[in-house]
Amino acid sequence: MVKNLALGLILGGALGFIGQRTRFLTWSGALALTLMSALVFAANGWTWGAPLLLVVASENIWARYRASRKEPLGDRFRQGARRGWPALFARIGWASVLALLYALAAPTKGIHIAFIGALATAAADSWATELGVLSAQPPRSLLTWRRVKAGHEGAISVLGLVAALGASWLTGFAGLLCQAIASWLQRSLVERAFLWLPLAALLGGTAGCLLDSFLGATAQGIYYCEHCNERSESRLHSCGREAEQIRGWAWLTNDGINFVSSVVGAAVAVGAVAWLAQTSLRW
Ligand SMILES: [Zn+2]
């Protein structure tokens, strides 16, 4: 427990520091990452901590990828749009809560699978956003299926969808790999339910990511800055001026949507494994 806590603090702190230096996180985001990493490692060890940090590291890498090309495409790609603690909590907070729940109350495989599903949603959304926006084809609105500008909230593209599928499958695969290594070290076999992890994460992460796009296209509070002639995801535009609300619920921010999506992604992953395990027994 103390060894795991130290490992989580050191690895999470190192990744937070790198994130801050590469302008991916604010100091508060780096601190939140360190604390959540420490919590997850301390609660359940490296088999839970490693997938968490891998997901955040991959988000950091894709956020930096062609950053200057993405910058004009909207507020969330601007240099100032580093992730602070609310943005970080919105993405990996539910996964951290599940890790704590597993350690303190319910050490079941279902919670473990939900944890990976929540992480898969965060990875899918990040990869889809950061890569999808670079698509040569303009994306379509999930709602009207009309072509919209790249970076438009709730827009989806083929490239973004492929990125979401890849990210969520890889998250599940990372979870399975950690379980397999841990079992091998203990000279035991991997539990059968974990073999479904890549597929469950694929389904959960993609469902969460699509819900994210759907809510972004419908319910999210969206603003318009007349001065810059640009849409904005927050009342305060990046130019420092106040933007006017044009649709959605003001209280439903991008962070709120990310949190809701990770809860749903986790539930879909568990449901998928329950259904698959039951179906496969009948074969
Ligand atoms: Zn502006």
Side-chain angles (χ1 to χ4, degrees):
M1 163 93 174
V2 177
K3 225 168 76 183
N4 280 331
L5 178 71
L7 194 63
L9 275 175
I10 291 167
L11 294 178
L15 189 57
F17 183 73
I18 293 170
Q20 201 282 334
R21 299 312 294 169
T22 54
R23 297 190 229 164
F24 171 61
L25 300 170
T26 65
W27 280 116
S28 91
L31 184 66
L33 175 62
T34 309
L35 293 179
M36 280 192 269
S37 161
L39 182 139
V40 172
F41 269 90
N44 303 322
W46 68 271
T47 52
W48 291 55
L52 175 89
L53 293 184
L54 282 173
V55 164
V56 177
S58 77
E59 294 182 338
N60 193 345
I61 290 167
W62 290 124
R64 295 309 305 154
Y65 179 69
R66 301 203 177 175
S68 52
R69 227 189 101 186
K70 290 185 277 195
E71 212 175 304
L73 297 174
D75 268 2
R76 68 167 82 172
F77 302 107
R78 297 248 154 84
Q79 293 293 1
R82 296 166 169 227
R83 289 184 192 171
W85 72 265
L88 213 73
F89 185 79
R91 289 170 171 279
I92 58 172
W94 183 239
S96 305
V97 168
L98 288 170
L100 208 57
L101 196 66
Y102 181 93
L104 299 179
T108 64
K109 282 184 287 268
I111 302 275
H112 193 153
I113 290 158
F115 169 78
I116 295 291
L119 287 184
T121 305
D125 179 53
S126 257
W127 289 38
T129 304
E130 298 291 347
L131 284 170
V133 80
L134 294 168
S135 168
Q137 295 280 328
R140 286 179 187 276
S141 161
L142 188 59
L143 200 64
T144 60
W145 210 244
R146 264 187 243 134
R147 293 218 179 264
V148 287
K149 255 168 62 180
H152 204 280
E153 63 290 332
I156 59 168
S157 62
V158 174
L159 184 62
L161 206 56
V162 170
L165 291 168
S168 39
W169 188 86
L170 278 172
T171 307
F173 183 72
L176 171 61
L177 196 61
C178 289
Q179 273 319 113
I181 293 172
S183 300
W184 179 72
L185 290 174
Q186 292 164 1
R187 308 258 180 279
S188 61
L189 290 170
V190 185
E191 295 227 36
R192 268 190 65 162
F194 290 129
L195 299 177
W196 294 112
L197 265 182
L199 185 59
L202 178 84
L203 295 172
T206 309
C209 182
L210 286 175
L211 176 71
D212 193 291
S213 294
F214 177 75
L215 290 176
T218 53
Q220 185 183 356
I222 297 296
Y223 306 83
Y224 183 77
C225 176
E226 281 189 346
H227 183 264
C228 307
N229 191 20
E230 255 180 38
R231 296 161 77 88
S232 167
E233 288 188 287
S234 62
R235 189 175 292 283
L236 196 66
H237 191 221
S238 55
C239 65
R241 289 180 181 80
E242 192 153 313
E244 199 185 329
Q245 188 176 354
I246 50 172
R247 72 157 166 85
W249 295 319
W251 56 267
L252 192 62
T253 60
N254 188 39
D255 285 346
I257 290 176
N258 283 334
F259 188 81
V260 171
S261 303
S262 75
V263 173
V264 172
V268 170
V270 182
V273 172
W275 184 76
L276 287 166
Q278 204 189 28
T279 316
S280 70
L281 281 180
R282 275 192 244 126
W283 288 347

